[in-house]
Amino acid sequence: QQPVQSPQAVILREGEDAVINCSSSKALYSVHWYRQKHGEAPVFLMILLKGGEQKGHEKISASFNEKKQQSSLYLTASQLSYSGTYFCGTPYNQGGKLIFGQGTELSVKP
Amino acid sequence: EAGVAQSPRYKIIEKRQSVAFWCNPISGHATLYWYQQILGQGPKLLIQFQNNGVVDDSQLPKDRFSAERLKGVDSTLKIQPAKLEDSAVYLCASSRLSVGEPNTEAFFGQGTRLTVV
């Protein structure tokens, strides 16, 4: 079952903050976050392995609430380079079949 | 470390023709995925290999799509015959993942953009 992301699209000015949410109706073993720029392959950002875990990558961080079956990606002081489509992915089962959400398109304007 | 290699980068074919895509994963990666990404959507898993065995192909339209991973390294994905709705980017990804360890990141290739006319 595909995780659901919100919002579908965000437009920011440089320096502004954004939050992208990912939720699932199934139990989450972990949550993966990827960024894909137009015409390029998705690039791995981070993985959260257990409830309560938080991680950071540059000024991008994420949290994972296992009980609520959701994860949030936080982009602070956004830069032009943050533009792209962000996907969350969750393993479907212990076998690791990685299922992606529909994506959130982030546009950072000067 | 070399990344995931895919070829060709672009392919245009007429409907009912056949096409094949090739993927060379990162050395030592046991798991290989093929995803289909239609414009504006998230990648949709078609098939997952663990070494040269199929772990999951539940989303693969088997009447027209086939995939193999000989010797547990390179993989090919074939479509025969192609339909207009097969127009998409086909992404190959690999990971060190072993079945039972779902928490390993996947590395993606650049993809093959297929246009069926």
Side-chain angles (χ1 to χ4, degrees), chain B residues 51-65:
Chain B
N51 297 310
N52 61 346
V54 175
V55 175
D56 192 303
D57 64 356
S58 57
Q59 298 279 68
L60 189 73
K62 298 181 186 66
D63 58 333
R64 298 184 301 106
F65 286 65

Side-chain angles (χ1 to χ4, degrees), chain A residues 35 44 71 96 106:
Chain A
R35 178 172 61 207
F44 174 78
S71 175
L106 181 79

Side-chain angles (χ1 to χ4, degrees), chain A residues 2 29-30 32 34 36 38-44 47 49 87 91-103, chain B residues 9 33 35 37 40-43 45 48 55-56 58-59 91 97 99-106 108-110 113:
Chain A
Q2 184 183 35
Y29 298 100
S30 62
H32 304 221
Y34 289 78
Q36 185 178 31
H38 183 70
E40 299 181 9
V43 173
F44 174 78
I47 180 172
L49 300 179
F87 294 100
Y92 182 75
N93 51 32
Q94 288 290 342
K97 173 180 169 179
L98 196 56
I99 307 296
F100 287 93
Q102 81 278 20
Chain B
R9 285 295 310 276
Y33 307 91
Y35 286 89
Q37 187 175 26
Q41 298 182 18
L45 181 68
Q48 177 187 357
V55 175
D56 192 303
S58 57
Q59 298 279 68
L91 294 164
L97 170 74
V99 173
E101 298 179 55
N103 302 320
T104 309
E105 64 268 32
F108 284 83
Q110 293 281 73
R113 183 177 297 277

Side-chain angles (χ1 to χ4, degrees), chain B residues 1-70:
Chain B
E1 161 176 86
V4 176
Q6 288 188 248
S7 67
R9 285 295 310 276
Y10 305 92
K11 191 74 177 179
I12 301 174
I13 61 172
E14 295 182 349
K15 58 184 179 184
R16 292 187 290 274
Q17 285 188 324
S18 62
V19 64
F21 313 127
W22 174 81
C23 173
N24 179 237
I26 292 173
S27 177
H29 279 195
T31 294
L32 185 147
Y33 307 91
W34 281 103
Y35 286 89
Q36 179 193 59
Q37 187 175 26
I38 293 172
L39 187 64
Q41 298 182 18
K44 171 191 165 186
L45 181 68
L46 293 175
I47 189 167
Q48 177 187 357
F49 290 96
Q50 176 78 18
N51 297 310
N52 61 346
V54 175
V55 175
D56 192 303
D57 64 356
S58 57
Q59 298 279 68
L60 189 73
K62 298 181 186 66
D63 58 333
R64 298 184 301 106
F65 286 65
S66 64
E68 60 182 7
R69 190 182 183 195
L70 298 175

Side-chain angles (χ1 to χ4, degrees), chain A residues 55-104:
Chain A
K55 280 197 173 180
H57 173 78
E58 298 173 342
K59 291 185 180 178
I60 301 173
S61 61
S63 63
F64 177 24
N65 188 321
E66 197 171 23
K67 288 183 179 177
K68 292 186 178 179
Q69 296 172 186
Q70 65 185 34
S71 175
S72 296
L73 189 71
Y74 306 94
L75 300 100
T76 52
S78 59
Q79 305 168 16
L80 296 176
S81 62
Y82 287 1
S83 291
T85 302
Y86 289 78
F87 294 100
C88 67
T90 62
Y92 182 75
N93 51 32
Q94 288 290 342
K97 173 180 169 179
L98 196 56
I99 307 296
F100 287 93
Q102 81 278 20
T104 296

